[in-house]
Amino acid sequence: MPTVLLATDADWVFDEVDAALADDQTKVYRVRRGVDVIPAIRELQPDLVVLDLQIGNMGGMATCMAIRNEEGADRLPITAVLMLLDRAADVFLAHRADADGWLIKPLDAFRLRKAAEVLLDGYSYFEGVDADTDLRADVATVEA
């Protein structure tokens, strides 16, 4: 059963992600603050972490970078990270934070499910980039 950890302080984002991903096989957990993500990863060991770009006290970019730092120090297991971006210009931030994938709001259930499936299969999911852009040479890229 896949476990998804969502970090957002926006109730509407939680409602959309939960409606799109939660089912009999998938459980969606939520934290409201970026600083709560790493302890939640340690406790829940999620298969996928979904980060809203705008989280009250610690944004999605800083949270993603903190996750990657902890993974690099072998203090966290490698976890797929999907960022929810506010606009296409935020792709730069998601790429710099080393996210495995990103979606650009507004969200919809089809794109959320597709991105989650691709990331859970071990690939990347990028929106807002040209198909010819090689963001990661070591991982297959799926263009939305």
Side-chain angles (χ1 to χ4, degrees):
M1 169 184 282
T3 301
V4 176
L5 174 63
L6 170 64
T8 185
D9 57 359
D11 292 337
W12 71 269
V13 172
F14 172 74
D15 292 342
E16 288 197 31
V17 171
D18 188 58
L21 301 182
D23 59 25
D24 291 341
Q25 278 88 43
T26 305
K27 175 70 176 158
V28 177
Y29 294 90
R30 177 188 186 183
V31 295
R32 293 181 174 269
R33 303 178 326 149
V35 297
D36 296 330
V37 171
I38 289 175
I41 291 172
R42 287 190 176 113
E43 179 183 336
L44 300 170
Q45 298 185 3
D47 302 293
L48 176 64
V49 175
V50 180
L51 302 174
D52 196 359
L53 182 62
Q54 301 296 324
I55 310 170
N57 70 328
M58 181 179 182
M61 180 180 173
T63 302
C64 186
M65 292 173 76
I67 291 168
R68 296 304 185 223
N69 286 337
E70 290 297 299
E71 290 171 349
D74 290 328
R75 292 187 294 254
L76 277 183
I78 303 295
T79 306
V81 176
L82 174 67
M83 289 185 66
L84 306 177
L85 306 179
D86 295 327
R87 57 200 170 115
D90 295 330
V91 165
F92 174 78
L93 298 175
H95 180 59
R96 292 293 301 219
D98 201 23
D100 296 298
W102 51 78
L103 293 172
I104 301 168
K105 297 172 192 167
L107 304 173
D108 64 68
F110 175 78
R111 289 172 37 242
L112 279 165
R113 281 192 305 269
K114 177 68 174 174
E117 289 171 7
V118 169
L119 290 173
L120 289 170
D121 284 342
Y123 297 100
S124 295
Y125 189 92
F126 303 132
E127 280 189 352
V129 296
D130 295 330
D132 296 330
T133 303
D134 182 18
L135 293 175
R136 296 177 159 206
D138 61 329
V139 179
T141 302
V142 175
E143 169 68 28

